[in-house]
Amino acid sequence: MSTHVESAPKHFDLLIRGGTVIDGTRRPRFVADIGIVGDRIAAIGELAESTADAVVSAKGKIVAPGFIDSHTHDDQVLLSQPHMPFKISQGVTTVVTGNCGISIAPLRDSCPMPAPLNLLDDQDSPRFATFADYMAQLRQQPPSVNVAALVGHSTLRAMCMSSLDRAARPDEIRDMRGRLEEALEAGALGMSTGTFYPPAMHAPTEEIVEVGRPLSAVDALYVTHMRDEADRSLEALEESFFIGRELNVPVVISHHKLKFAQNFGKSGVTLARIAEAMKRQRVYLDCYPYNASSTMLHTDAARLHGKVLIASSDAYPECSGRDLDEVAAEWQVSKTEAARRLQPASAVYYNMDERDVQSILAFEDTMIGSDGIPTGDQPHPRLWGTFPRVLGRYSRELGLFSLETAVWKMTGLTASRFGLAHRGQLAAGCFADLVVFDAETIRDAATYDVPKQMAEGIETVVVNGVVTWRTGSHQGARNGRVISRSNTAHRYGLGDADTRPHGA
Ligand code: ZN
Ligand code: CU
C-alpha cells in the first residue's frame, strides 16, 4: 500500500474520506482516505489532518478505480449524448470505442452505412473524413467519460472499396493501410475487425494482415469479433492468433462466447486453447455478463435460431421489444421475410449457455466489456447493467470471484491490456477516475423487458478529479479526455497480468 503521506499536501481539492479501497491491482482491500489535487490522486492513506474544498464521505463503502468498458459502440453517442448516463451511472469512467470492425471514422458523407455500421449512427449525425477529425471533435466537445478509440476494418472497407462482397484489391489495401496509419498517428489504440458481419465477411485472412501492417511498428492492438463464435469457433480462434503472430501485436478476442445449443459447453475447449496460445503470444479477451447476445437483425435463417427479440426497427419502430416469431406469424410471413421487412433493425438473441458465460467470466484474463448498443428503445440490458451485474450477481451472489478480482477485471487488467497509462488503479500519481459503491446493495436493474434502468448502489463517480455522478444524478460535468495510444504500456504483456508500475 502506498501512502505517500509525508510528502502529501495538507489541503486537497477533493477528499474521499474513510472508504474501503479496492485499488484495481487485486491486492486485498484496505481502509484509507484519498486526496485529489487537480486531475490526479495526490495521496492515499490516513489523511485525517487534511482539509479539502470538497469532501465525500465513503465510510462503509468501496472506493475503486473508475470502471473501464473495454468493448463499446459509443463512437457516435459520445458526441450526441455527451453525458453518457448509461455508462456513468454504472461507475464507468472510460470507454473503448470502435469495436467489431465498426468505427465512426474515417467515413465520407457519401459512404454507404451497411449494417452493422448503422448501429453507430443516426442518419444525420456528422461524419469524419479522418480519424484526427473525430478525435478533435471529441476534444472540442468533451463527453463525461474518457475515450480510447479503435479504428474499424469494416469502416475502412466502406471508405475505400467500391463493393464489399469481395476481397480487397491491392490498391484498396494500400488505401486502407494509409488510413489505418493516419488513425494510429491520431491516437487510435489499434484496429478492430468484424469478419462475422456482411461488410467484412468476404475479407480473407491475408487482407486483414496486409491492411494491419502499420499496427506492427507501434505495437498497436488487433481486436476482433471473430468470423465465427459457433460451430467453427476454434478455427476462428486460430485465424485470430495467426493474424496476431503475423503482425507481432497483441490480439483481443472480443466478447468471447459460444452460440447455439450444439456448442454449449465448448468454452472448456476454447479457453484451454486461449491459455495455450498465451504461452507464445499476447492474447487478451473480454466478455459481457449475459447469456443473450445483441447486434443487427440478421436476415439469414442460420443466424435466426431460437428466440429473437426485436430491439429496434427503423421501418416498424412499434415492433421493438417484440418476439420476431410473433411478428412473423402476425404478418403471415417467414422469419427471414419479417426480418427483411424490419430493416434497418437490431435484435437480442437468446443463444448462449449460462455455464459457458460463467466459465469465460471466471477465466483469469477475461476483462469486462459491455458491448452495449446505445441506439433504439429496447437495447440489450448490458448497456445499463454490465458492471454492477458483475459486482452484484457474479461476485457477491454467485461467488464466481472475489470483489477484488471483479474490480481488477474492469480496471487494472483492462488498463494494462489497452495501454491506458495511469488509469485503472488507485495510487498516488494516477488520474483521479474513481467510483464509490455499496458492496452490499450494488446490482443491475436493467432487464430484457425494461432495459433502460439505472443500476443501484453506485454512489459517487469522479472523472479526472471532478465529481460527475452523485447518488442517482448526473452533476453535469463533461470532464472526459481522449486517451491516445501510449507506446509502451501493453508491452508489459506476456502472461504478466499486473498493472504496470506508476512513474512520475
Ligand atoms: Zn461484436
Ligand atoms: Cu461489439
Side-chain angles (χ1 to χ4, degrees), residues 199-212:
M201 186 178 267
H202 300 283
T205 310
E206 309 79 71
E207 174 185 321
I208 296 163
V209 170
E210 289 311 317
V211 172

Side-chain angles (χ1 to χ4, degrees), residues 229-230 233 255-271 285-291 351-363 366 394 400:
E229 296 175 302
S233 49
H255 45 56
H256 186 40
K257 67 170 89 63
L258 283 312
K259 296 191 303 191
F260 308 135
Q262 69 271 24
N263 299 303
F264 288 180
K266 216 161 98 182
S267 62
V269 183
T270 57
L271 290 172
L285 71 162
D286 61 54
C287 178
Y288 52 79
Y290 295 87
N291 59 14
N351 56 14
M352 285 174 253
D353 183 9
E354 177 64 20
R355 282 167 299 183
D356 283 322
V357 174
Q358 292 189 20
S359 311
I360 294 167
L361 282 173
F363 183 71
T366 304
Y394 288 101
L400 206 57

Side-chain angles (χ1 to χ4, degrees), residues 71 73 100 197 225 254-255 371:
H71 188 111
H73 296 288
C100 300
Y197 290 113
H225 177 152
S254 292
H255 45 56
D371 200 11

Side-chain angles (χ1 to χ4, degrees), residues 137-381:
Q137 191 64 34
L138 283 172
R139 288 191 177 96
Q140 201 185 317
Q141 247 183 275
S144 292
V145 297
N146 303 307
V147 189
L150 303 165
V151 58
H153 165 248
S154 294
T155 295
L156 294 174
R157 289 189 119 227
M159 181 77 170
C160 303
M161 293 176 67
S162 53
S163 80
L164 302 178
D165 55 3
R166 56 173 174 79
R169 294 186 304 251
D171 56 314
E172 293 164 332
I173 288 179
R174 271 195 303 279
D175 193 3
M176 287 192 267
R177 197 189 285 154
R179 291 174 199 277
L180 171 59
E181 252 165 41
E182 186 275 327
L184 292 170
E185 228 156 88
L189 263 55
M191 179 176 80
S192 76
T193 55
T195 40
F196 168 73
Y197 290 113
M201 186 178 267
H202 300 283
T205 310
E206 309 79 71
E207 174 185 321
I208 296 163
V209 170
E210 289 311 317
V211 172
R213 290 287 176 208
L215 298 172
S216 305
V218 291
D219 201 32
L221 294 158
Y222 173 60
V223 180
T224 181
H225 177 152
M226 300 194 298
R227 216 177 273 281
D228 192 292
E229 296 175 302
D231 298 356
R232 298 179 59 79
S233 49
L234 280 169
E235 290 88 336
L237 277 177
E238 291 311 324
E239 182 189 28
S240 308
F241 301 155
F242 173 81
I243 293 167
R245 287 198 306 276
E246 277 295 294
L247 297 173
N248 190 25
V249 297
V251 180
V252 182
I253 308 295
S254 292
H255 45 56
H256 186 40
K257 67 170 89 63
L258 283 312
K259 296 191 303 191
F260 308 135
Q262 69 271 24
N263 299 303
F264 288 180
K266 216 161 98 182
S267 62
V269 183
T270 57
L271 290 172
R273 193 61 203 90
I274 289 171
E276 185 62 32
M278 279 171 171
K279 291 180 188 158
R280 58 193 162 87
Q281 68 185 104
R282 290 166 295 171
V283 179
Y284 312 149
L285 71 162
D286 61 54
C287 178
Y288 52 79
Y290 295 87
N291 59 14
S293 66
S294 176
T295 185
M296 61 185 276
L297 178 59
H298 298 299
T299 51
D300 51 323
R303 291 179 173 192
L304 292 173
H305 270 317
K307 181 171 150 82
V308 178
L309 199 71
I310 301 154
S312 70
S313 161
D314 286 7
Y316 297 89
E318 68 277 12
C319 286
S320 75
R322 295 190 62 195
D323 197 308
L324 179 63
D325 272 334
E326 215 180 274
V327 172
E330 198 177 290
W331 293 353
Q332 299 186 332
V333 297
S334 68
K335 230 169 156 166
T336 49
E337 177 55 25
R340 253 190 298 278
R341 291 185 189 175
L342 288 158
Q343 297 294 328
S346 61
V348 171
Y349 300 86
Y350 294 83
N351 56 14
M352 285 174 253
D353 183 9
E354 177 64 20
R355 282 167 299 183
D356 283 322
V357 174
Q358 292 189 20
S359 311
I360 294 167
L361 282 173
F363 183 71
E364 180 164 14
D365 283 83
T366 304
M367 304 176 279
I368 308 302
S370 71
D371 200 11
I373 298 168
T375 51
D377 289 331
Q378 200 70 17
H380 189 298

Side-chain angles (χ1 to χ4, degrees), residues 70 96 150 189 221 223 252 367 413-420 490:
S70 66
V96 178
L150 303 165
L189 263 55
L221 294 158
V223 180
V252 182
M367 304 176 279
L413 175 64
T414 319
S416 107
R417 291 329 194 202
F418 281 85
L420 312 178
H490 52 75

Side-chain angles (χ1 to χ4, degrees), residues 57-112:
S57 168
K59 208 161 179 318
K61 304 295 189 299
I62 302 293
V63 186
F67 306 141
I68 300 168
D69 191 343
S70 66
H71 188 111
T72 84
H73 296 288
D74 293 339
D75 307 46
Q76 172 56 40
V77 83
L78 284 160
L79 296 169
S80 61
Q81 293 182 56
H83 291 98
M84 300 288 288
F86 41 88
K87 292 292 161 78
I88 203 86
S89 65
Q90 294 185 62
V92 170
T93 57
T94 299
V95 299
V96 178
T97 65
N99 280 284
C100 300
I102 60 184
S103 58
I104 200 71
L107 279 172
R108 247 180 257 106
D109 283 338
S110 57
C111 286

Side-chain angles (χ1 to χ4, degrees), residues 451-484:
K452 292 184 170 181
Q453 296 228 83
M454 221 174 9
E456 293 164 19
I458 301 285
E459 310 234 322
T460 304
V461 183
V462 176
V463 181
N464 296 309
V466 174
V467 175
T468 304
W469 183 266
R470 275 249 46 197
T471 44
S473 44
H474 203 294
Q475 303 298 295
R478 288 169 53 179
N479 205 37
R481 306 258 173 88
V482 173
I483 304 178
S484 294

